[in-house]
Each structure stands twice: as structure tokens, then as C-alpha cells.
Amino acid sequence: MDGVTDVLCEACDQLGWKMPTKIQVEAIPVALQGRDIIGLAETGSGKTGAFALPILQALLETPQRLFALVLTPTRELAFQISEQFEALGSSIGVHSTVIVGGIDTMSQSLALAKKPHIIIATPGRLVDHLENTKGFNLRALKFLVMDEADRILNMDFETEVDKILKVIPRDRKTFLFSATMTKKVQKLQRAALKNPVKCAVSSKYQTVEKLQQYYIFIPSKFKDSYLVYILNELAGNSFMIFCSTCNNTQRTALLLRNLGFTAIPLHGQMSQNKRLGSLNKFKAKARSILLATDVASRGLDIPHVDVVINFDIPTHSKDYIHRVGRTARAGRSGKSITFVTQYDVELFQRIEHLIGKKLPAFPMQEEEVMMLTERVAEAQRFARMELREQGEKKRSRNDDDDDTEEAIGVRNKVAGGKKKKRKAF
């Protein structure tokens, strides 16, 4: 690509990037001229390359520690961006550090003390370090990237973003990437960017051309049987199945495992290590079915999803775009199938209205589905038992913790003895 140095072009070759994507063609030349950028691009459009390459090139020209900060809404996205920076910058010795919640702050403070070139962070945890880690500041920062800015703001990180903007140099380059241009994003753009160039790849909500989208209309009590039917019909593909709650993700994963499918869950109540483990097993194709809540629907680089199933219909139509965007990436084709029960008709009509097309029904053999109901009912029973056992184990672990706390007199007396619920994503 014009203007990108040979050493970085070679790194792109090694990653298998043959041609720049649309957003890269638009954004990279502008970034290399030293301009601020507001990039509007949907998930899977190659945004990371669009900001990583100009940053690495600038770093080559003026090597410096604590050079760039990338803010992202979720931990998974932070790890994925870090992987791309490390891969693109491996031959030039680039060090990046991921600063996110759910990981020990002490080890993070040590990593920051080594002054990495690139910090990839979620806003909350970064502010913790700026306020509490001795000797850590971003006064020399040259680049700020806000990736998936619409989601950062939707997750109520506005106060944290304001705090970060106050303590970094005004004289810096800023790249703001977002899938949608909301009022909050416009306000942030005015506060953080100087005379930016707008690089828009897709202004209308749309789904990729090579994606075949279907729906199936079913009675809600037979949802599980229809899911098993589809997984059998399309066997040999990799699947990403979206559920609306952590609990349903876990339940459906157990149900499918009982029926012999290699399914793994990914949701907000799992520990960070478990989540990364699940993701890596799926990426390495050791598992063919990933069940996820919407925490996983955006920003995760999962290259080989053949079929996306909306097991629970998304309540926000825009989430539909992001979910089905997990397949048909980088020019490949893919399928999506949305389950519509008697309770979901209105939500489904909103989705069709948003994408501007009527979806065809997925061809089904009803009698074959009905033949599965007995086996599925048995697996449901097992899944419920396993869920209950997991819940009891968790509770007894919590009770053990309480006993030790009581022994050292640290217990807080909570009215009615209720425990605080852990906040999920």
C-alpha cells in the first residue's frame, strides 16, 4: 500500500493480508499525513489494521515508550487488538500491554513500569492505574485510538473517557472508530478530535452481500429441538449461537454436550481466563460450536464462523447486524438463521425494516424435528440437573468464603443477609 514502509508491508504479507480493505484504503493515507480520523466502519472491516499500521510507522520514525493508547469497550477486543499489534510489529520489536478488569492490578502495574510502546485498555481499569499507580502517566502520549466508540459510550464509560482526555497531551493524533454515528459519538468527536477527516465505509446499516440470511418460525417450547435439527442438517460447519442471557448460554451448551456436540459457552459470568480459553479452543477449531451472549458479538476476531444462529432474537435490531457480522467475513460466504417464536414477531419485523429486506424461511422438515423431541427432552433434564449442581457448588464456595470472613470479623452486615449479585456484562 502507498506510503506504508516495506517492513510493515512484509508483516502484512506474513499475516496473509494481500489487499487493503475499504476502510484501510480510506484511512491509512490520511493517517500517514498526520490528520485526525473519524472512521465509520462495521465490524469485520479491517479497522485494527487501519489504525495500527500508521501508529507503527510513526513509531518507527520516532521510537518512544508509552507512544499510543487504544481504548476498547471489552476485554476480549483488547486482547485481540494487542495480538494484531504484536504480529504487525514483531520484526521491529514492538511491546504492547493489555490493561483490563478481571486481571491482577499488581502485575499490570509492573508491566506499565516497563513502559510498553502501546497500551490497549478498557477505560475503567486504565483510570484506576492513572489514579493509583505511582510513576505512571501518559504525558508523552502521541496517539489515542478509541475503537468501537459507540459501545464505549453505551457502556457508560463517559466519565472515565473524560478523565483520560484531561491527562493526555493536547498535541496528539486521535483516531475514533465507530460502527454508528450516535449523538454521544458526535459530542466525543468535538471534544477529542482536531479538524478530523471522515472515512466512512458504510453509512447505511447493512449486512454483507455474501451472507445468506434466513428465519424459522417455531413454537417456543420446541426451540431446542429445532436447534438440534439445524446443527445436524448443517453438520461440518462451525457455528456461533447467540443467547440472550448467561444462564441460557450455559444451559444450551450443557444440553448440546449431552447430545454429543462439541459446544463451549462464552459469557460475562465466566472468569477472564475461562473466556479466553473458550475463544482459543474455538479459534483452533477444537470445538465447532460457540454459544455466546452479545458480549461476543462485536470486535472478536473469530475467522471461521460458517453459520450464525440467533437462538434468542436480539432485542436491539442493531445487535442483529453485529451478530450476523460474525460470518461472511473477508469476502467469504456464510449463513445466518434467526429463531422467531410467537413472542418475537414484532422484534423480527423491526430487524427486517432496519436491513431493508424480507428474509426467506429456512427449509425445514417438521416431522424430522418432532422425531428428535424425546432425546432432546432427556438432554434438557440432564442440563437442568447439571446447572443446579453448578449453582450449588458456587453457593457452597461462597458460604465457605463467608465462614472465613466471619472468623476474622470482616463480614459486613447486609440487611436481610442478602448477597450482592455479581454484575454480568
Side-chain angles (χ1 to χ4, degrees):
M1 178 149 187
D2 286 351
V4 177
T5 62
D6 293 348
V7 63
L8 291 174
C9 288
E10 279 166 30
C12 292
D13 275 348
Q14 281 168 351
L15 283 179
W17 296 2
K18 296 285 175 266
M19 291 290 292
T21 64
K22 283 183 193 167
I23 189 71
Q24 289 165 0
V25 170
E26 295 261 328
I28 291 174
V30 179
L32 292 174
Q33 289 163 18
R35 300 286 302 273
D36 281 8
I37 286 172
I38 174 140
L40 290 180
E42 58 214 13
T43 182
S45 57
K47 283 180 305 187
T48 310
F51 61 75
L53 288 166
I55 288 173
L56 291 171
Q57 183 137 326
L59 184 60
L60 268 173
E61 286 159 15
T62 52
Q64 176 200 308
R65 297 291 181 166
L66 298 175
F67 189 72
L69 166 65
V70 182
L71 291 178
T72 81
T74 65
R75 307 164 184 188
E76 282 80 8
L77 184 52
F79 281 103
Q80 180 204 309
I81 292 171
S82 169
E83 275 172 24
Q84 293 218 339
F85 264 107
E86 297 271 345
L88 286 168
S90 58
S91 61
I92 56 175
V94 169
H95 292 291
S96 69
T97 291
V98 176
I99 300 295
V100 293
I103 287 172
D104 170 53
T105 42
M106 196 59 213
S107 59
Q108 289 180 350
S109 301
L110 293 170
L112 289 171
K114 289 180 184 160
K115 294 197 161 60
H117 300 103
I118 319 280
I119 296 172
I120 299 111
T122 46
R125 179 53 70 92
L126 184 74
V127 168
D128 284 353
H129 283 288
L130 284 166
E131 289 174 349
N132 304 314
T133 299
K134 258 200 169 84
F136 170 58
N137 67 65
L138 293 169
R139 288 198 282 269
L141 197 74
K142 293 286 183 276
F143 281 88
L144 169 67
V145 180
M146 286 176 275
D147 192 20
E148 309 248 344
D150 48 349
R151 284 187 75 207
I152 290 176
L153 299 174
N154 280 347
M155 289 164 79
D156 291 334
F157 280 131
E158 282 166 90
T159 337
E160 285 86 348
V161 171
D162 283 344
K163 282 181 180 171
I164 293 164
L165 290 174
K166 282 195 180 91
V167 299
I168 61 175
R170 289 220 155 147
D171 183 21
R172 59 163 198 271
K173 304 284 175 287
T174 309
F175 303 151
L176 188 149
F177 284 88
S178 183
T180 54
M181 193 57 179
T182 61
K183 283 199 173 71
K184 284 180 175 179
V185 173
Q186 280 172 328
K187 193 174 144 199
L188 177 61
Q189 176 197 334
R190 287 194 294 272
L193 282 79
K194 283 192 209 113
N195 175 12
V197 177
K198 191 173 176 185
C199 301
V201 171
S202 150
S203 50
K204 187 181 173 299
Y205 292 116
Q206 57 188 48
T207 44
V208 193
E209 297 109 45
K210 290 199 176 181
L211 171 65
Q212 300 169 297
Q213 301 172 77
Y214 300 97
Y215 77 95
I216 52 172
F217 187 60
I218 48 175
S220 72
K221 66 173 179 180
F222 292 125
K223 262 174 110 170
D224 289 345
S225 299
Y226 277 86
L227 178 63
V228 172
Y229 169 82
I230 282 175
L231 293 174
N232 282 330
E233 278 297 287
L234 301 175
N237 288 300
S238 60
F239 296 87
M240 197 156 176
I241 301 171
F242 283 101
C243 302
S244 54
T245 63
C246 298
N247 197 46
N248 204 22
T249 308
Q250 198 67 30
R251 182 200 70 86
T252 314
L254 291 169
L255 169 92
L256 293 176
R257 279 187 200 165
N258 282 320
L259 290 163
F261 292 100
T262 56
I264 42 170
L266 180 74
H267 56 74
Q269 286 177 357
M270 291 161 69
S271 73
Q272 185 61 23
N273 283 345
K274 277 207 172 124
R275 271 195 270 178
L276 287 173
S278 283
L279 209 48
N280 289 333
K281 277 181 192 158
F282 186 71
K283 275 187 180 178
K285 305 194 184 187
R287 301 285 184 279
S288 59
I289 301 169
L290 181 67
L291 290 114
T293 49
D294 278 304
V295 69
S297 69
R298 277 172 78 175
L300 292 187
D301 185 24
I302 304 168
H304 62 276
V305 179
D306 304 312
V307 184
V308 166
I309 296 176
N310 288 307
F311 185 60
D312 294 325
I313 199 163
T315 42
H316 300 293
S317 313
K318 284 177 202 168
D319 285 336
Y320 174 83
I321 309 275
H322 298 304
R323 287 180 179 192
V324 300
R326 304 307 330 159
T327 183
R329 290 164 87 84
R332 289 195 298 269
S333 59
K335 274 190 186 66
S336 73
I337 301 168
T338 299
F339 283 33
V340 184
T341 71
Q342 63 270 41
Y343 311 113
D344 307 323
V345 176
E346 195 185 331
L347 288 171
F348 181 62
Q349 285 168 340
R350 275 190 222 154
I351 288 168
E352 287 192 322
H353 177 71
L354 179 78
I355 60 177
K357 57 170 94 164
K358 286 251 175 267
L359 299 189
F362 186 77
M364 304 281 291
Q365 299 291 329
E366 312 285 329
E367 57 279 8
E368 285 185 30
V369 179
M370 290 305 118
M371 282 160 66
L372 295 165
T373 50
E374 251 176 68
R375 276 182 60 214
V376 169
E378 198 175 331
Q380 285 170 332
R381 206 169 60 246
F382 280 125
R384 275 197 299 272
M385 277 159 52
E386 285 174 68
L387 261 185
R388 211 173 306 131
E389 278 168 23
Q390 285 178 2
E392 278 163 13
K393 269 188 197 154
K394 223 182 211 163
R395 269 196 300 279
S396 71
R397 270 205 304 275
N398 290 346
D399 291 346
D400 291 348
D401 292 347
D402 288 350
D403 293 342
T404 52
E405 280 186 354
E406 201 168 28
I408 51 174
V410 185
R411 168 175 279 184
N412 294 330
K413 289 204 162 47
V414 181
K418 281 180 187 165
K419 283 205 193 73
K420 262 189 174 174
K421 275 191 183 154
R422 247 191 80 193
K423 200 173 170 196
F425 262 82

